[in-house]
Coordinates of all heavy atoms in Angstrom, one line a residue:
M1 N -8.3 -1.2 23.2 CA -9.7 -1.4 22.7 C -9.9 -2.9 22.8 O -9.1 -3.8 22.3 CB -9.7 -1.0 21.2 CG -11.0 -1.4 20.5 SD -11.2 -0.7 18.9 CE -10.0 -1.6 17.9
S2 N -11.1 -3.3 23.3 CA -11.5 -4.7 23.4 C -12.1 -5.1 22.1 O -12.9 -4.4 21.5 CB -12.5 -4.8 24.5 OG -13.0 -6.1 24.5
R3 N -11.7 -6.2 21.6 CA -12.3 -6.7 20.3 C -13.2 -7.9 20.6 O -13.3 -8.8 19.8 CB -11.1 -7.1 19.4 CG -10.4 -5.9 18.8 CD -9.4 -6.4 17.8 NE -8.1 -6.4 18.5 CZ -7.2 -7.3 18.3 NH1 -7.3 -8.3 17.4 NH2 -6.0 -7.3 18.9
N4 N -14.0 -7.8 21.6 CA -14.9 -8.9 22.0 C -16.2 -8.9 21.3 O -16.9 -9.9 21.3 CB -15.1 -8.9 23.5 CG -13.8 -9.2 24.3 OD1 -12.9 -9.8 23.8 ND2 -13.8 -8.7 25.5
N5 N -16.6 -7.7 20.7 CA -17.9 -7.7 20.1 C -17.7 -7.3 18.6 O -16.7 -6.9 18.1 CB -18.8 -6.7 20.8 CG -18.4 -5.3 20.7 OD1 -17.9 -4.8 19.7 ND2 -18.5 -4.6 21.8
E6 N -18.8 -7.6 17.8 CA -18.8 -7.4 16.4 C -18.4 -6.0 15.9 O -17.6 -5.9 15.0 CB -20.1 -7.8 15.8 CG -20.4 -9.3 15.8 CD -19.4 -10.1 14.9 OE1 -19.1 -9.7 13.8 OE2 -19.0 -11.1 15.4
G7 N -18.9 -5.0 16.6 CA -18.6 -3.6 16.2 C -17.1 -3.3 16.3 O -16.5 -2.7 15.4
N8 N -16.5 -3.8 17.4 CA -15.1 -3.5 17.6 C -14.2 -4.3 16.7 O -13.2 -3.8 16.2 CB -14.7 -3.7 19.1 CG -15.2 -2.7 20.0 OD1 -15.5 -1.6 19.6 ND2 -15.3 -3.0 21.3
I9 N -14.6 -5.5 16.4 CA -13.9 -6.4 15.4 C -13.9 -5.7 14.1 O -12.9 -5.6 13.4 CB -14.5 -7.8 15.4 CG1 -14.2 -8.5 16.7 CG2 -13.9 -8.6 14.2 CD1 -15.0 -9.9 16.8
K10 N -15.1 -5.2 13.7 CA -15.2 -4.6 12.4 C -14.3 -3.3 12.3 O -13.6 -3.1 11.3 CB -16.7 -4.2 12.1 CG -16.9 -3.6 10.7 CD -18.3 -3.4 10.4 CE -18.6 -2.7 9.1 NZ -17.5 -2.2 8.3
K11 N -14.4 -2.5 13.3 CA -13.6 -1.3 13.4 C -12.1 -1.6 13.3 O -11.3 -1.0 12.5 CB -13.8 -0.5 14.7 CG -15.0 0.4 14.7 CD -14.9 1.2 16.0 CE -16.3 1.5 16.5 NZ -16.3 2.1 17.8
H12 N -11.7 -2.6 14.0 CA -10.3 -3.1 14.0 C -9.9 -3.5 12.6 O -8.8 -3.1 12.1 CB -10.0 -4.2 15.0 CG -8.7 -4.8 15.0 ND1 -7.6 -4.1 15.4 CD2 -8.2 -5.9 14.4 CE1 -6.5 -4.9 15.2 NE2 -6.9 -6.0 14.6
N13 N -10.7 -4.4 12.0 CA -10.4 -4.9 10.7 C -10.4 -3.8 9.6 O -9.5 -3.8 8.7 CB -11.4 -6.0 10.3 CG -11.1 -7.3 11.1 OD1 -10.0 -7.5 11.6 ND2 -12.1 -8.1 11.2
D14 N -11.3 -2.9 9.7 CA -11.3 -1.8 8.7 C -10.1 -0.9 8.8 O -9.5 -0.6 7.8 CB -12.6 -0.9 9.0 CG -13.9 -1.6 8.6 OD1 -13.8 -2.6 7.9 OD2 -14.9 -1.0 8.9
K15 N -9.6 -0.7 10.1 CA -8.4 0.1 10.3 C -7.2 -0.6 9.7 O -6.4 -0.1 9.1 CB -8.3 0.4 11.8 CG -7.2 1.4 12.1 CD -7.2 1.7 13.6 CE -6.1 2.6 14.0 NZ -6.0 2.9 15.4
L16 N -7.2 -1.9 10.0 CA -6.1 -2.8 9.6 C -6.0 -2.8 8.0 O -4.9 -2.6 7.4 CB -6.2 -4.2 10.1 CG -5.2 -5.2 9.7 CD1 -3.8 -4.8 10.4 CD2 -5.6 -6.6 10.2
H17 N -7.1 -3.0 7.4 CA -7.2 -3.1 5.9 C -6.8 -1.8 5.3 O -6.2 -1.7 4.3 CB -8.6 -3.6 5.5 CG -8.8 -5.0 5.9 ND1 -10.1 -5.5 6.2 CD2 -8.0 -6.1 6.1 CE1 -10.0 -6.7 6.5 NE2 -8.8 -7.1 6.5
K18 N -7.3 -0.7 5.9 CA -6.9 0.7 5.4 C -5.4 0.9 5.4 O -4.8 1.3 4.4 CB -7.6 1.7 6.3 CG -7.5 3.1 5.7 CD -8.3 4.1 6.6 CE -8.1 5.5 6.1 NZ -8.8 6.5 6.9
E19 N -4.7 0.5 6.5 CA -3.3 0.6 6.6 C -2.6 -0.3 5.6 O -1.6 0.1 4.9 CB -2.8 0.2 8.0 CG -3.2 1.2 9.0 CD -2.6 2.6 8.8 OE1 -1.4 2.7 8.4 OE2 -3.4 3.6 8.9
Q20 N -3.1 -1.5 5.4 CA -2.6 -2.4 4.4 C -2.7 -1.9 3.0 O -1.8 -2.0 2.2 CB -3.2 -3.8 4.5 CG -2.8 -4.6 5.7 CD -3.6 -5.8 6.0 OE1 -4.7 -6.0 5.4 NE2 -3.1 -6.7 6.8
D21 N -3.9 -1.3 2.7 CA -4.1 -0.7 1.4 C -3.1 0.5 1.1 O -2.6 0.6 0.0 CB -5.5 -0.2 1.2 CG -6.5 -1.4 1.2 OD1 -6.1 -2.5 0.9 OD2 -7.7 -1.1 1.3
K22 N -2.9 1.3 2.2 CA -2.0 2.4 2.0 C -0.6 1.9 1.7 O 0.1 2.4 0.8 CB -1.9 3.2 3.3 CG -3.0 4.2 3.5 CD -2.7 5.0 4.8 CE -3.8 6.0 5.2 NZ -3.5 6.7 6.4
A23 N -0.1 0.9 2.4 CA 1.2 0.3 2.2 C 1.3 -0.3 0.8 O 2.3 -0.1 0.1 CB 1.5 -0.8 3.3
K24 N 0.3 -1.0 0.4 CA 0.3 -1.6 -1.0 C 0.3 -0.5 -2.0 O 1.1 -0.6 -3.0 CB -1.0 -2.4 -1.2 CG -1.0 -3.2 -2.4 CD -2.2 -4.1 -2.5 CE -2.2 -4.9 -3.8 NZ -3.4 -5.8 -3.9
A25 N -0.4 0.6 -1.9 CA -0.5 1.7 -2.8 C 0.9 2.4 -2.9 O 1.4 2.7 -4.0 CB -1.5 2.7 -2.5
K26 N 1.5 2.5 -1.8 CA 2.9 3.1 -1.7 C 3.9 2.3 -2.5 O 4.7 2.8 -3.2 CB 3.3 3.3 -0.2 CG 4.4 4.3 0.0 CD 4.8 4.4 1.5 CE 3.7 5.2 2.2 NZ 4.2 5.4 3.6
K27 N 3.8 1.0 -2.3 CA 4.7 0.0 -3.0 C 4.5 0.1 -4.5 O 5.5 0.1 -5.2 CB 4.5 -1.4 -2.4 CG 5.4 -2.4 -3.0 CD 5.1 -3.8 -2.5 CE 6.0 -4.8 -3.1 NZ 5.7 -6.2 -2.7
V28 N 3.2 0.1 -4.9 CA 2.9 0.1 -6.3 C 3.5 1.5 -7.0 O 4.1 1.5 -8.0 CB 1.4 0.0 -6.6 CG1 1.0 0.3 -8.0 CG2 1.0 -1.4 -6.2
A29 N 3.3 2.6 -6.3 CA 3.7 3.9 -6.8 C 5.2 3.9 -6.9 O 5.8 4.4 -7.9 CB 3.3 5.0 -5.8
R30 N 5.9 3.3 -5.9 CA 7.4 3.2 -6.0 C 7.9 2.4 -7.2 O 8.8 2.8 -7.9 CB 7.9 2.6 -4.7 CG 9.4 2.6 -4.6 CD 9.9 2.1 -3.2 NE 11.3 2.3 -3.0 CZ 12.2 1.5 -3.5 NH1 11.9 0.4 -4.2 NH2 13.5 1.7 -3.3
E31 N 7.2 1.3 -7.4 CA 7.6 0.4 -8.5 C 7.4 1.2 -9.9 O 8.2 1.1 -10.8 CB 6.8 -0.9 -8.5 CG 7.2 -1.8 -7.4 CD 6.3 -3.1 -7.3 OE1 5.3 -3.2 -8.1 OE2 6.6 -3.9 -6.5
E32 N 6.3 1.9 -10.0 CA 6.0 2.7 -11.2 C 7.1 3.7 -11.4 O 7.5 3.9 -12.5 CB 4.6 3.3 -11.1 CG 3.5 2.4 -11.3 CD 3.5 1.6 -12.6 OE1 3.7 2.3 -13.7 OE2 3.3 0.4 -12.6
K33 N 7.5 4.4 -10.4 CA 8.5 5.4 -10.5 C 9.8 4.8 -10.9 O 10.5 5.3 -11.8 CB 8.7 6.2 -9.1 CG 7.7 7.2 -8.8 CD 8.0 7.9 -7.5 CE 6.9 8.9 -7.1 NZ 7.2 9.5 -5.8
L34 N 10.2 3.6 -10.4 CA 11.4 3.0 -10.7 C 11.4 2.5 -12.2 O 12.3 2.7 -12.9 CB 11.6 1.7 -9.9 CG 12.1 2.0 -8.4 CD1 12.1 0.7 -7.6 CD2 13.5 2.7 -8.4
K35 N 10.2 2.0 -12.6 CA 10.1 1.6 -14.1 C 10.3 2.8 -15.0 O 10.9 2.7 -16.0 CB 8.7 1.0 -14.3 CG 8.5 -0.4 -13.8 CD 7.1 -0.9 -14.1 CE 6.8 -2.2 -13.5 NZ 5.5 -2.6 -13.7
E36 N 9.7 4.0 -14.6 CA 9.9 5.2 -15.4 C 11.3 5.6 -15.5 O 11.8 6.0 -16.5 CB 9.0 6.3 -14.9 CG 9.1 7.5 -15.7 CD 7.8 8.3 -15.8 OE1 6.7 7.7 -15.5 OE2 7.8 9.4 -16.2
I37 N 12.0 5.6 -14.3 CA 13.4 6.0 -14.3 C 14.2 5.0 -15.2 O 15.1 5.5 -15.9 CB 13.9 5.9 -12.8 CG1 13.3 7.1 -12.0 CG2 15.5 6.0 -12.8 CD1 13.5 7.0 -10.5
I38 N 14.0 3.8 -15.1 CA 14.7 2.8 -15.9 C 14.4 3.0 -17.4 O 15.4 3.0 -18.2 CB 14.3 1.3 -15.5 CG1 14.9 1.0 -14.1 CG2 14.8 0.3 -16.5 CD1 14.3 -0.2 -13.5
R39 N 13.2 3.3 -17.7 CA 12.8 3.6 -19.1 C 13.6 4.8 -19.6 O 14.2 4.8 -20.7 CB 11.3 3.8 -19.3 CG 10.6 2.6 -19.8 CD 9.2 3.0 -20.1 NE 8.3 2.2 -19.2 CZ 7.5 2.7 -18.3 NH1 7.3 4.0 -18.3 NH2 6.8 2.0 -17.6
K40 N 13.7 5.9 -18.9 CA 14.4 7.1 -19.2 C 15.9 6.8 -19.4 O 16.5 7.2 -20.3 CB 14.2 8.2 -18.2 CG 12.8 8.8 -18.3 CD 12.7 10.0 -17.2 CE 11.3 10.6 -17.3 NZ 11.2 11.6 -16.3
H41 N 16.4 6.0 -18.5 CA 17.8 5.7 -18.5 C 18.1 4.9 -19.8 O 19.1 5.1 -20.4 CB 18.2 4.9 -17.2 CG 19.6 4.5 -17.2 ND1 20.6 5.4 -17.0 CD2 20.2 3.3 -17.4 CE1 21.8 4.7 -17.0 NE2 21.6 3.5 -17.3
N42 N 17.3 3.9 -20.1 CA 17.5 3.1 -21.2 C 17.4 3.8 -22.5 O 18.1 3.5 -23.5 CB 16.5 1.9 -21.3 CG 16.9 0.8 -20.2 OD1 18.0 0.8 -19.7 ND2 15.9 0.0 -19.8
N43 N 16.6 4.9 -22.6 CA 16.4 5.7 -23.8 C 17.7 6.6 -24.0 O 18.0 6.9 -25.1 CB 15.2 6.6 -23.7 CG 13.9 5.8 -23.9 OD1 14.0 4.7 -24.4 ND2 12.8 6.3 -23.4
L44 N 18.4 6.9 -22.9 CA 19.6 7.7 -23.0 C 20.8 6.9 -23.5 O 21.7 7.5 -24.2 CB 20.0 8.3 -21.6 CG 19.0 9.4 -21.1 CD1 19.4 9.8 -19.7 CD2 19.0 10.6 -22.0
I45 N 20.8 5.7 -23.3 CA 21.9 4.8 -23.7 C 21.9 4.5 -25.2 O 20.9 4.4 -25.8 CB 21.9 3.5 -22.9 CG1 22.2 3.8 -21.4 CG2 23.0 2.5 -23.4 CD1 22.1 2.6 -20.5

């Protein structure tokens, strides 16, 4: 895909940002799960 015009630049950036948002959401979800596991573990001790 050529990114020489505004339409293609916008499409490329939208796709890139969508992928970045997915990765960020996945990271946040993983951190939340880890926090919950740690909380449960600490309550057992």
Side-chain angles (χ1 to χ4, degrees):
M1 173 172 72
S2 171
R3 287 184 263 141
N4 295 335
N5 63 41
E6 286 297 314
N8 286 340
I9 291 170
K10 182 176 177 355
K11 276 186 212 171
H12 173 76
N13 287 340
D14 289 347
K15 188 175 181 182
L16 180 66
H17 294 149
K18 186 176 180 182
E19 290 300 316
Q20 288 172 342
D21 290 344
K22 277 186 189 177
K24 187 176 180 182
K26 200 180 283 187
K27 182 179 177 185
V28 169
R30 184 176 188 279
E31 287 174 1
E32 287 299 316
K33 283 182 182 178
L34 286 173
K35 283 181 190 176
E36 183 145 343
I37 290 168
I38 291 168
R39 263 188 242 120
K40 284 181 181 178
H41 179 73
N42 288 339
N43 288 338
L44 291 175
I45 293 177

